[in-house]
Amino acid sequence: MRIPGGVPTAHLDTFASDRLPPAGLMPRFDYSAPFLSNIPDRLNGAALLIDGAIAEGFAAKTAFYCADAAMSYGELQDKACRIARVLVEDFGLVPGNRVLVRSGNTPMAAACWLGILKAGGVCVNTMALLRARELTYILNKARIDIALADIDLAQELELAKGTGEALKHVCYFTALCSGQGELDQRMDRKSGGFKPVDTAADDVALITFTSGTTGNPKGALHLHRDILAVCRCWPRVYTLEQDEIVTGSPSLAFTYGMAAFLMYPLYYRASAALLPKPTPDAILETVERRKVTSLYTVPTMYHALLERAGGGTLSSLRKCTSAGEHLRQRLWDGWLDKTGIRLVNGLGMTEFLTH
Protein backbone atom coordinates (compact mmCIF):
# COMPACT_ATOMS: atom_id res chain seq x y z
CA MET A 1 0.00 0.00 0.00
CA ARG A 2 1.28 3.45 -0.96
CA ILE A 3 2.07 5.88 1.88
CA PRO A 4 2.23 9.59 0.88
CA GLY A 5 5.78 10.92 1.03
CA GLY A 6 8.95 8.95 0.59
CA VAL A 7 10.48 11.69 -1.59
CA PRO A 8 13.44 13.95 -0.73
CA THR A 9 12.73 16.25 2.21
CA ALA A 10 12.59 20.02 1.78
CA HIS A 11 13.98 20.50 5.29
CA LEU A 12 17.54 21.72 5.63
CA ASP A 13 17.18 21.56 9.43
CA THR A 14 16.21 17.96 10.19
CA PHE A 15 15.98 18.26 13.99
CA ALA A 16 12.28 17.32 14.05
CA SER A 17 12.38 14.46 11.56
CA ASP A 18 15.50 13.06 13.24
CA ARG A 19 13.34 12.52 16.33
CA LEU A 20 10.66 10.46 14.63
CA PRO A 21 10.68 6.77 15.59
CA PRO A 22 12.68 4.45 13.33
CA ALA A 23 10.67 2.87 10.53
CA GLY A 24 10.26 -0.39 12.42
CA LEU A 25 8.58 1.37 15.35
CA MET A 26 6.29 3.66 13.38
CA PRO A 27 2.53 2.98 13.46
CA ARG A 28 1.01 1.13 10.55
CA PHE A 29 -0.67 3.78 8.43
CA ASP A 30 -3.63 2.88 6.24
CA TYR A 31 -4.17 5.24 3.32
CA SER A 32 -6.22 2.77 1.27
CA ALA A 33 -9.54 4.60 1.71
CA PRO A 34 -10.57 6.42 -1.50
CA PHE A 35 -10.51 9.81 0.24
CA LEU A 36 -6.90 9.25 1.41
CA SER A 37 -5.33 7.23 -1.39
CA ASN A 38 -4.75 10.24 -3.66
CA ILE A 39 -2.76 12.39 -1.19
CA PRO A 40 0.31 13.56 -3.17
CA ASP A 41 3.91 12.82 -2.22
CA ARG A 42 4.72 16.53 -2.07
CA LEU A 43 2.36 18.73 -0.09
CA ASN A 44 2.49 21.99 1.85
CA GLY A 45 -0.34 22.16 4.36
CA ALA A 46 -0.61 25.96 4.25
CA ALA A 47 -0.71 26.05 0.46
CA LEU A 48 -3.44 23.43 0.56
CA LEU A 49 -5.60 25.44 2.96
CA ILE A 50 -5.21 29.06 1.88
CA ASP A 51 -3.66 29.13 -1.59
CA GLY A 52 -6.13 26.49 -2.72
CA ALA A 53 -9.02 28.63 -1.50
CA ILE A 54 -7.76 31.67 -3.42
CA ALA A 55 -7.31 29.60 -6.58
CA GLU A 56 -10.95 28.51 -6.26
CA GLY A 57 -12.19 32.11 -6.08
CA PHE A 58 -12.74 32.61 -2.33
CA ALA A 59 -10.48 35.66 -1.88
CA ALA A 60 -13.35 37.99 -0.94
CA LYS A 61 -15.05 35.58 1.45
CA THR A 62 -14.62 36.07 5.22
CA ALA A 63 -12.25 33.52 6.71
CA PHE A 64 -12.31 34.82 10.30
CA TYR A 65 -14.44 37.06 12.45
CA CYS A 66 -12.95 38.43 15.67
CA ALA A 67 -14.86 40.95 17.81
CA ASP A 68 -15.99 43.69 15.39
CA ALA A 69 -13.43 42.81 12.71
CA ALA A 70 -13.39 40.39 9.82
CA MET A 71 -10.50 39.01 7.75
CA SER A 72 -11.09 37.68 4.25
CA TYR A 73 -9.36 34.70 2.68
CA GLY A 74 -7.42 37.11 0.48
CA GLU A 75 -6.28 39.20 3.44
CA LEU A 76 -5.33 36.06 5.33
CA GLN A 77 -3.21 34.81 2.44
CA ASP A 78 -1.50 38.19 2.11
CA LYS A 79 -0.64 38.28 5.82
CA ALA A 80 0.62 34.70 5.77
CA CYS A 81 2.89 35.51 2.81
CA ARG A 82 4.26 38.62 4.53
CA ILE A 83 4.92 36.65 7.72
CA ALA A 84 6.76 34.02 5.68
CA ARG A 85 8.92 36.77 4.17
CA VAL A 86 9.72 38.21 7.61
CA LEU A 87 10.73 34.76 8.84
CA VAL A 88 12.98 34.04 5.86
CA GLU A 89 14.31 37.48 4.92
CA ASP A 90 14.61 39.10 8.37
CA PHE A 91 15.17 36.15 10.69
CA GLY A 92 16.96 33.72 8.39
CA LEU A 93 14.53 30.82 8.78
CA VAL A 94 15.47 27.72 6.83
CA PRO A 95 13.03 24.87 6.20
CA GLY A 96 12.74 22.69 9.27
CA ASN A 97 13.42 25.45 11.84
CA ARG A 98 10.91 25.47 14.69
CA VAL A 99 8.81 28.58 15.33
CA LEU A 100 6.79 29.06 18.51
CA VAL A 101 3.45 30.87 18.37
CA ARG A 102 2.05 32.30 21.62
CA SER A 103 -1.43 33.75 21.30
CA GLY A 104 -5.10 33.42 22.02
CA ASN A 105 -7.48 32.53 19.21
CA THR A 106 -7.01 35.44 16.82
CA PRO A 107 -6.73 35.94 13.05
CA MET A 108 -3.04 36.81 13.40
CA ALA A 109 -2.36 33.56 15.24
CA ALA A 110 -3.86 31.73 12.26
CA ALA A 111 -1.86 33.84 9.81
CA CYS A 112 1.34 33.02 11.70
CA TRP A 113 0.51 29.30 11.58
CA LEU A 114 0.03 29.50 7.83
CA GLY A 115 3.08 31.71 7.26
CA ILE A 116 5.36 29.35 9.18
CA LEU A 117 4.23 26.35 7.15
CA LYS A 118 4.47 28.26 3.86
CA ALA A 119 8.09 29.08 4.70
CA GLY A 120 8.81 25.42 5.42
CA GLY A 121 9.05 25.94 9.17
CA VAL A 122 7.64 23.72 11.89
CA CYS A 123 4.93 25.46 13.92
CA VAL A 124 4.78 25.00 17.70
CA ASN A 125 1.53 26.50 19.04
CA THR A 126 1.39 27.20 22.77
CA MET A 127 -1.36 28.01 25.26
CA ALA A 128 -1.79 31.64 26.30
CA LEU A 129 -1.88 30.59 29.97
CA LEU A 130 1.61 29.06 30.02
CA ARG A 131 4.07 30.61 32.45
CA ALA A 132 7.77 31.30 31.90
CA ARG A 133 8.91 27.97 33.36
CA GLU A 134 6.58 26.02 31.05
CA LEU A 135 7.60 28.09 28.04
CA THR A 136 11.26 27.48 28.83
CA TYR A 137 10.71 23.74 28.78
CA ILE A 138 9.04 23.90 25.34
CA LEU A 139 11.62 26.33 23.95
CA ASN A 140 14.42 23.94 24.83
CA LYS A 141 12.67 20.64 24.18
CA ALA A 142 11.81 21.66 20.61
CA ARG A 143 14.97 23.77 20.12
CA ILE A 144 12.86 26.76 19.10
CA ASP A 145 14.67 29.20 16.79
CA ILE A 146 12.04 31.95 16.51
CA ALA A 147 9.06 33.00 18.63
CA LEU A 148 6.07 35.01 17.39
CA ALA A 149 3.71 36.18 20.13
CA ASP A 150 0.74 38.42 20.81
CA ILE A 151 2.03 41.61 22.39
CA ASP A 152 -0.52 41.26 25.20
CA LEU A 153 1.21 38.00 26.24
CA ALA A 154 4.75 39.36 26.26
CA GLN A 155 5.48 39.24 29.99
CA GLU A 156 6.02 35.50 30.49
CA LEU A 157 7.83 35.07 27.18
CA GLU A 158 10.18 37.92 28.08
CA LEU A 159 10.99 36.10 31.31
CA ALA A 160 11.58 32.85 29.42
CA LYS A 161 13.48 34.04 26.36
CA GLY A 162 16.85 34.31 28.08
CA THR A 163 16.66 30.61 28.89
CA GLY A 164 15.90 29.48 25.34
CA GLU A 165 19.06 27.65 24.31
CA ALA A 166 18.40 27.96 20.56
CA LEU A 167 16.14 31.03 20.55
CA LYS A 168 17.45 33.81 18.30
CA HIS A 169 14.45 36.04 17.61
CA VAL A 170 11.30 37.07 19.49
CA CYS A 171 8.79 39.22 17.63
CA TYR A 172 5.42 40.52 18.82
CA PHE A 173 2.18 41.10 16.90
CA THR A 174 -1.29 42.46 17.62
CA ALA A 175 -4.40 40.30 17.32
CA LEU A 176 -5.60 42.05 14.15
CA CYS A 177 -2.26 43.33 12.85
CA SER A 178 -3.17 46.91 13.77
CA GLY A 179 0.40 48.21 13.56
CA GLN A 180 1.55 48.40 17.17
CA GLY A 181 3.60 45.19 17.14
CA GLU A 182 7.08 44.73 15.69
CA LEU A 183 5.83 41.91 13.47
CA ASP A 184 2.98 44.13 12.23
CA GLN A 185 5.53 46.76 11.20
CA ARG A 186 7.91 44.29 9.58
CA MET A 187 5.01 42.82 7.60
CA ASP A 188 4.04 46.26 6.38
CA ARG A 189 7.45 46.60 4.76
CA LYS A 190 7.11 43.30 2.88
CA SER A 191 5.25 42.35 -0.27
CA GLY A 192 2.94 39.37 -0.51
CA GLY A 193 3.11 36.57 -3.02
CA PHE A 194 5.48 34.23 -1.15
CA LYS A 195 5.96 30.94 -2.98
CA PRO A 196 5.41 28.10 -0.49
CA VAL A 197 8.26 25.69 0.15
CA ASP A 198 7.68 22.43 -1.72
CA THR A 199 7.64 20.23 1.36
CA ALA A 200 7.33 16.47 1.21
CA ALA A 201 4.06 15.04 2.46
CA ASP A 202 6.00 13.34 5.27
CA ASP A 203 7.97 16.43 6.31
CA VAL A 204 7.12 17.55 9.85
CA ALA A 205 4.70 20.50 9.89
CA LEU A 206 3.65 20.81 13.54
CA ILE A 207 4.80 19.97 17.04
CA THR A 208 1.86 19.98 19.45
CA PHE A 209 2.63 19.60 23.12
CA THR A 210 0.41 17.58 25.44
CA SER A 211 -1.00 19.20 28.57
CA GLY A 212 1.56 17.52 30.83
CA THR A 213 -0.88 15.81 33.19
CA THR A 214 1.44 12.79 33.55
CA GLY A 215 4.71 14.73 33.80
CA ASN A 216 6.53 17.02 31.41
CA PRO A 217 4.56 17.72 28.21
CA LYS A 218 5.38 15.49 25.24
CA GLY A 219 5.83 17.01 21.80
CA ALA A 220 3.75 15.15 19.22
CA LEU A 221 5.05 15.52 15.67
CA HIS A 222 2.55 15.88 12.83
CA LEU A 223 3.33 15.78 9.12
CA HIS A 224 2.00 17.85 6.23
CA ARG A 225 0.01 14.86 5.01
CA ASP A 226 -1.71 14.66 8.41
CA ILE A 227 -3.30 18.08 7.86
CA LEU A 228 -5.03 16.86 4.70
CA ALA A 229 -5.85 13.46 6.17
CA VAL A 230 -7.71 14.83 9.20
CA CYS A 231 -9.61 17.31 7.04
CA ARG A 232 -10.89 14.36 5.03
CA CYS A 233 -11.78 12.13 8.00
CA TRP A 234 -13.76 13.63 10.90
CA PRO A 235 -15.69 16.12 8.69
CA ARG A 236 -17.02 13.19 6.67
CA VAL A 237 -19.17 12.47 9.74
CA TYR A 238 -19.41 15.88 11.40
CA THR A 239 -19.83 17.79 8.16
CA LEU A 240 -18.97 21.41 7.38
CA GLU A 241 -20.54 23.34 4.49
CA GLN A 242 -19.27 26.50 2.79
CA ASP A 243 -22.08 28.63 4.20
CA GLU A 244 -21.28 27.70 7.81
CA ILE A 245 -19.73 29.72 10.63
CA VAL A 246 -18.06 27.87 13.52
CA THR A 247 -17.07 29.06 16.96
CA GLY A 248 -16.25 27.70 20.40
CA SER A 249 -13.77 27.64 23.24
CA PRO A 250 -10.79 25.29 22.49
CA SER A 251 -7.45 27.00 22.00
CA LEU A 252 -5.66 26.84 18.66
CA ALA A 253 -2.80 25.37 20.70
CA PHE A 254 -4.96 22.28 21.29
CA THR A 255 -5.45 19.97 18.35
CA TYR A 256 -9.20 20.20 19.03
CA GLY A 257 -9.22 23.95 18.42
CA MET A 258 -6.59 23.85 15.67
CA ALA A 259 -8.75 21.51 13.63
CA ALA A 260 -12.11 23.09 14.49
CA PHE A 261 -11.27 26.74 13.89
CA LEU A 262 -8.38 26.67 11.42
CA MET A 263 -7.96 23.50 9.37
CA TYR A 264 -11.58 22.47 8.84
CA PRO A 265 -13.06 25.90 8.02
CA LEU A 266 -10.26 26.79 5.60
CA TYR A 267 -10.29 23.41 3.88
CA TYR A 268 -14.07 23.52 3.39
CA ARG A 269 -14.05 27.29 2.59
CA ALA A 270 -16.27 28.11 5.56
CA SER A 271 -15.76 30.80 8.24
CA ALA A 272 -14.75 30.81 11.91
CA ALA A 273 -15.59 33.33 14.62
CA LEU A 274 -12.50 33.41 16.84
CA LEU A 275 -12.71 34.25 20.53
CA PRO A 276 -9.48 35.29 22.28
CA LYS A 277 -11.31 35.00 25.63
CA PRO A 278 -14.13 32.45 25.19
CA THR A 279 -16.34 33.10 28.20
CA PRO A 280 -19.93 31.77 28.20
CA ASP A 281 -21.29 35.25 27.55
CA ALA A 282 -18.82 35.83 24.72
CA ILE A 283 -19.82 32.57 23.05
CA LEU A 284 -23.54 33.31 23.35
CA GLU A 285 -23.09 36.84 21.99
CA THR A 286 -21.03 35.51 19.06
CA VAL A 287 -23.49 32.73 18.24
CA GLU A 288 -26.36 35.21 18.12
CA ARG A 289 -24.47 38.01 16.36
CA ARG A 290 -22.70 35.92 13.72
CA LYS A 291 -25.47 33.35 13.29
CA VAL A 292 -23.04 30.56 14.13
CA THR A 293 -24.04 27.15 12.77
CA SER A 294 -21.52 24.83 14.47
CA LEU A 295 -20.30 24.95 18.06
CA TYR A 296 -17.19 23.24 19.45
CA THR A 297 -16.62 23.30 23.19
CA VAL A 298 -16.38 21.20 26.37
CA PRO A 299 -19.04 19.88 28.80
CA THR A 300 -18.25 22.52 31.45
CA MET A 301 -18.99 25.24 28.91
CA TYR A 302 -22.19 23.56 27.71
CA HIS A 303 -23.43 23.55 31.32
CA ALA A 304 -22.73 27.30 31.55
CA LEU A 305 -24.41 27.98 28.21
CA LEU A 306 -27.54 26.09 29.28
CA GLU A 307 -27.82 28.26 32.37
CA ARG A 308 -27.45 31.54 30.46
CA ALA A 309 -29.01 31.00 27.02
CA GLY A 310 -32.20 32.88 26.22
CA GLY A 311 -34.99 31.67 23.99
CA GLY A 312 -33.61 32.40 20.54
CA THR A 313 -29.92 32.83 21.34
CA LEU A 314 -28.92 29.42 20.01
CA SER A 315 -31.46 29.18 17.19
CA SER A 316 -28.88 29.43 14.38
CA LEU A 317 -27.01 26.32 15.51
CA ARG A 318 -27.24 23.23 13.31
CA LYS A 319 -24.85 20.95 15.19
CA CYS A 320 -22.66 20.89 18.29
CA THR A 321 -19.75 18.75 19.42
CA SER A 322 -18.16 18.16 22.81
CA ALA A 323 -14.70 16.89 23.74
CA GLY A 324 -12.02 17.20 26.39
CA GLU A 325 -14.15 16.03 29.33
CA HIS A 326 -16.66 13.32 30.14
CA LEU A 327 -20.03 14.12 28.57
CA ARG A 328 -22.72 13.04 31.04
CA GLN A 329 -26.15 11.82 29.97
CA ARG A 330 -27.92 14.54 31.95
CA LEU A 331 -26.09 17.28 30.06
CA TRP A 332 -26.68 15.55 26.72
CA ASP A 333 -30.41 15.35 27.47
CA GLY A 334 -30.56 18.94 28.73
CA TRP A 335 -28.90 20.29 25.58
CA LEU A 336 -31.24 18.29 23.37
CA ASP A 337 -34.26 19.61 25.28
CA LYS A 338 -33.00 23.22 25.02
CA THR A 339 -31.87 23.25 21.39
CA GLY A 340 -33.21 20.15 19.67
CA ILE A 341 -29.59 19.27 18.80
CA ARG A 342 -27.88 16.00 19.72
CA LEU A 343 -24.39 16.67 21.06
CA VAL A 344 -21.71 14.71 19.22
CA ASN A 345 -19.11 13.38 21.67
CA GLY A 346 -15.57 13.47 20.26
CA LEU A 347 -12.80 11.31 21.73
CA GLY A 348 -9.10 11.59 20.95
CA MET A 349 -5.70 12.82 22.00
CA THR A 350 -2.98 15.27 21.01
CA GLU A 351 -1.01 12.58 19.22
CA PHE A 352 -3.93 12.02 16.81
CA LEU A 353 -3.98 15.71 15.79
CA THR A 354 -7.77 15.79 15.92
CA HIS A 355 -10.57 14.17 17.87
Side-chain angles (χ1 to χ4, degrees), residues 66 69-71 75-76 78-80 82-83 86 103 106-109 111-112 150-151 172-189:
C66 187
M71 182 180 291
E75 291 168 331
L76 179 63
D78 180 69
K79 284 179 170 51
R82 291 169 186 263
I83 290 167
V86 170
S103 177
T106 68
M108 268 296 284
C112 287
D150 191 307
I151 197 167
Y172 294 103
F173 58 83
T174 53
L176 296 168
C177 197
S178 54
Q180 287 82 18
E182 180 190 351
L183 181 59
D184 306 356
Q185 296 161 14
R186 287 179 180 269
M187 289 167 62
D188 192 51
R189 297 193 290 268

Side-chain angles (χ1 to χ4, degrees), residues 53-81:
I54 301 304
E56 293 171 14
F58 288 90
K61 181 173 182 174
T62 297
F64 296 118
Y65 296 99
C66 187
D68 295 327
M71 182 180 291
S72 71
Y73 275 79
E75 291 168 331
L76 179 63
Q77 184 198 44
D78 180 69
K79 284 179 170 51
C81 287

Side-chain angles (χ1 to χ4, degrees), residues 2 4 30-45 48-49 52 56 201 224-240 259-260 262-269 296 352-355:
R2 174 184 165 272
D30 184 356
Y31 283 83
S32 62
F35 54 89
L36 296 177
S37 61
N38 63 347
I39 293 178
D41 292 328
R42 304 209 75 90
L43 172 70
N44 184 297
L48 166 83
L49 295 177
E56 293 171 14
H224 282 270
R225 71 186 183 203
D226 298 334
I227 295 170
L228 179 52
V230 299
C231 287
R232 290 182 175 179
C233 288
W234 169 258
R236 293 176 61 82
V237 178
Y238 190 86
T239 58
L240 184 61
L262 200 163
M263 293 192 290
Y264 296 163
L266 294 183
Y267 184 74
Y268 289 97
R269 317 319 187 202
Y296 292 78
F352 287 164
L353 186 60
T354 188
H355 56 293

Side-chain angles (χ1 to χ4, degrees), residues 60-350:
K61 181 173 182 174
T62 297
F64 296 118
Y65 296 99
C66 187
D68 295 327
M71 182 180 291
S72 71
Y73 275 79
E75 291 168 331
L76 179 63
Q77 184 198 44
D78 180 69
K79 284 179 170 51
C81 287
R82 291 169 186 263
I83 290 167
R85 287 194 177 278
V86 170
L87 292 171
V88 173
E89 297 170 5
D90 295 2
F91 299 151
L93 178 140
V94 300
N97 284 170
R98 279 75 55 214
V99 183
L100 180 140
V101 176
R102 174 169 167 78
S103 177
N105 288 6
T106 68
M108 268 296 284
C112 287
W113 191 94
L114 292 166
I116 292 163
L117 267 60
K118 284 177 79 76
V122 177
C123 184
V124 185
N125 272 28
T126 57
M127 292 285 294
L129 295 177
L130 293 184
R131 307 300 295 269
R133 178 181 59 83
E134 298 159 316
L135 289 168
T136 296
Y137 177 81
I138 292 173
L139 287 170
N140 292 329
K141 185 69 172 178
R143 301 291 295 177
I144 300 292
D145 302 274
I146 303 164
L148 306 179
D150 191 307
I151 197 167
D152 291 336
L153 300 173
Q155 183 176 0
E156 295 296 326
L157 185 55
E158 285 295 302
L159 292 173
K161 72 178 185 181
T163 61
E165 297 167 0
L167 189 63
K168 302 181 184 72
H169 304 281
V170 176
C171 197
Y172 294 103
F173 58 83
T174 53
L176 296 168
C177 197
S178 54
Q180 287 82 18
E182 180 190 351
L183 181 59
D184 306 356
Q185 296 161 14
R186 287 179 180 269
M187 289 167 62
D188 192 51
R189 297 193 290 268
K190 302 295 182 184
S191 61
F194 185 90
K195 182 180 179 181
V197 171
D198 190 23
T199 43
D202 54 358
D203 279 339
V204 177
L206 311 167
I207 302 177
T208 54
F209 277 84
T210 62
S211 55
T213 53
T214 58
N216 287 326
K218 285 80 175 175
L221 279 66
H222 302 291
L223 315 180
H224 282 270
R225 71 186 183 203
D226 298 334
I227 295 170
L228 179 52
V230 299
C231 287
R232 290 182 175 179
C233 288
W234 169 258
R236 293 176 61 82
V237 178
Y238 190 86
T239 58
L240 184 61
E241 306 298 330
Q242 288 181 6
D243 68 335
E244 292 203 59
I245 300 174
V246 304
T247 198
S249 63
S251 167
L252 291 174
F254 285 152
T255 51
Y256 183 21
M258 188 188 303
F261 308 136
L262 200 163
M263 293 192 290
Y264 296 163
L266 294 183
Y267 184 74
Y268 289 97
R269 317 319 187 202
S271 304
L274 300 179
L275 298 170
K277 296 180 179 179
T279 63
D281 289 339
I283 290 177
L284 289 172
E285 191 274 335
T286 298
V287 170
E288 187 168 28
R289 179 184 184 187
R290 299 298 184 188
K291 305 302 178 189
V292 168
T293 60
S294 187
L295 179 61
Y296 292 78
T297 188
V298 297
T300 301
M301 183 62 75
Y302 279 113
H303 275 294
L305 297 177
L306 274 178
E307 293 173 355
R308 290 169 171 79
T313 307
L314 303 171
S315 60
S316 64
L317 291 175
R318 304 176 193 173
K319 49 189 177 290
C320 306
T321 187
S322 175
E325 303 168 8
H326 177 54
L327 176 60
R328 297 186 181 278
Q329 186 70 44
R330 183 178 176 182
L331 174 59
W332 192 93
D333 291 338
W335 191 259
L336 178 62
D337 291 342
K338 182 78 171 182
T339 66
I341 298 172
R342 297 170 180 266
L343 280 175
V344 177
N345 193 23
L347 302 175
M349 60 186 72
T350 302

